Amino acid sequence: MRAKRWIATLWATMAGCASIADAAPPPPQPKLLVAIAVDQFSADLLQYYRTHFTGGLKRLSGGIAFTGYQSHAATETCPGHSTILTGRHPAATGIVANTWFDAKSGSSVYCVAVRGTADPDARGPQNLRVPTLGEWLKHAQPQARVVAISGKDRAAIMMAGHHADAVYWWNDGVGFTTSSFAGPATPAVTGPAQAFDKALFAHWKASPPRLWPTAVSPACQALQAPHIFGKLPISGKVPPDLSLTVESGDFLHRTDFQDQLRVSPIFDPLTIAFVNGTIDRLHLGHGPQTDLLAVSLSTTDYIAHRYGNGGAEICVQMAALDEAIGALLTKLDSLGVPYVVALTADHGGSDAAERASEKGVDAHRVDPTAFVKRLNDAIAKQLGLNYETIVGDDPQQLTINGGPDVALHDRVRDAAVAWLKQQPEIAEVYTADQTAAAAVPPGKPADQLSVLERFHESYDKDRSGDIQVAFRPNSTLYMARGPGDTVAGHGSPWDYDRRVPILFWWPGVTPEDRKEPIETVDIAPTLAAIAHIPAPEVDGKCLESVAGACR
Ligand SMILES: [Zn+2]
């Protein structure tokens, strides 16, 4: 026994690859790869609820479990989803934010908007600069099918890439839909979504849905407490006090119903119902080659934004998410084919500043609009200008509107940086030149990156701002003034927004909690190795502790 182990260790050492000898057996070559993103599912949320899960999240977190990183600073939905199946940081995917300011046109660009078309609903991956796992798969195995489904257009499209067979997302008032710019929009693709929507709406018309449960678990009851977040009173009751009445009128197409539907724990199960129907319809996993199914579940994000992630509302959502993912796994089990699941998140998140403060966190709100106005006033006064020189919506990515006058641009930049460095709200400030130059040394662990290096990982010279700004940790850049407003969120370069679970699971997997801080860009090359297909050179690395041999 001892001799055998010694030989194995010696062999592994000689191969420079000790993890192979230690690692549990890799999964059998799958017929179906399933990549799940849970929007705003921070590593902290998983840790808090892990022992409460009884369904799909219990199974998945009982596989090979890592605490991973979205390594970059711009911890938003579109950049985060763009890393998961490309293996590239946003600096390479080009998806540096949900919306960026295009200096050439002087307007904001939504990450999946399609330029040059009159169709306001046109959505596609045209801004995504690199291929996805689905494209690698189709290149190696032309008969592989690639399908992506989400509650959000940008989530589905970023995971699908450029050549998916079907890409679906939820459109308020319409249901699950697609766009011919995102993938095929033939009757074979759109018809089943329309049929699903029609049946769903007919069912609801006959039997109006209850958005929140009447009974909640003792664990969730214990988190019920009223709060005032910003100027918003949040009842803390489950179900929350909704003014909505669905009993009368054409509620299905009312804006308030659609809005509250997405922010309720029935929306992820609804998404999974559509996913499971799609698996059946396309016989995913029963094709001639390995298929890829990408799913992004949006509700955790919507609920955490509206109610924070520390109350009864998110507790109820965690239970619903657990059950919904369980239903997906049950469907996958029933296929009778080998499959592998990877689950992660597009970014983490933090609780509403007021509730975080009660727990001893030095948290506070910053009014982003007022802050940028103060900055503009200070620059105007110092340089003797009579117009606003800083434009755009994101105070963490400031764009200078200096026109073609390079000298003026530089003077505005220097004045802005000097002012920012004196503000108590600000932790770190960098110019675009500093950010561009801060390349991350190869192999540097994701938990060791400086704030400047984090900005570098989501910096693009044509799409990022002229000045990168890190507000102090636990700053909430939302004011929560009126009903439905955001009370909490994400988007900072701090670890609570970067740390996400990365879970790999397949039937028969040997459970293991791994300590090394991997990255979401490691997921795609690892899944490629598991599927026995070549991966291009990417930012992430194939994980031998999961895939066994990396080729
Ligand atoms: Zn998100």
Side-chain angles (χ1 to χ4, degrees), residues 408-540:
L408 176 62
H409 179 284
D410 289 355
R411 280 165 57 217
V412 170
R413 180 197 61 202
D414 294 345
V417 168
W419 185 86
L420 288 163
K421 283 186 172 170
Q422 295 187 351
Q423 306 312 307
E425 295 93 334
I426 300 303
E428 302 188 30
V429 183
Y430 299 104
T431 64
D433 288 345
Q434 289 173 315
T435 307
V440 179
K444 188 169 184 180
D447 59 342
Q448 304 292 315
L449 300 193
S450 69
V451 170
L452 180 58
E453 287 168 338
R454 299 171 198 185
F455 276 119
H456 177 88
E457 298 283 44
S458 48
Y459 177 80
D460 177 88
K461 71 176 173 54
D462 295 324
R463 295 178 178 178
S464 296
D466 296 305
I467 302 170
Q468 280 69 46
V469 182
F471 284 77
R472 277 168 53 204
N474 304 299
S475 299
T476 297
L477 304 179
Y478 307 96
M479 293 315 287
R481 291 192 172 95
D485 273 6
T486 291
V487 307
H490 51 84
S492 84
W494 305 112
D495 278 353
Y496 50 81
D497 282 346
R498 298 198 311 139
R499 263 193 321 255
V500 292
I502 301 181
L503 312 175
F504 293 93
W505 188 90
W506 56 87
V509 64
T510 305
E512 189 179 11
D513 273 16
R514 306 250 345 159
K515 299 292 175 230
E516 66 270 35
I518 64 165
E519 303 175 273
T520 54
V521 291
D522 298 334
I523 294 171
T526 301
L527 291 179
I530 287 172
H532 298 196
I533 62 153
E537 193 70 29
V538 292
D539 296 321

Side-chain angles (χ1 to χ4, degrees), residues 246-282:
V246 298
E247 288 77 14
S248 61
D250 184 17
F251 69 88
L252 294 173
H253 299 101
R254 271 171 29 196
T255 308
D256 61 345
F257 174 76
Q258 292 292 336
D259 178 51
Q260 295 189 9
L261 168 66
R262 280 187 281 103
V263 195
S264 85
I266 73 167
F267 189 61
D268 282 345
L270 179 66
T271 305
I272 292 297
F274 183 63
V275 168
N276 285 353
T278 304
I279 292 172
D280 281 341
R281 181 167 51 81
L282 297 177

Side-chain angles (χ1 to χ4, degrees), residues 39 77 152 301 346-347:
D39 208 307
T77 297
K152 295 185 183 179
D301 183 69
D346 54 342
H347 49 75

Side-chain angles (χ1 to χ4, degrees), residues 148-160:
I149 297 171
S150 174
K152 295 185 183 179
D153 51 10
R154 55 188 178 274
I157 289 168
M158 287 298 138
M159 293 179 86

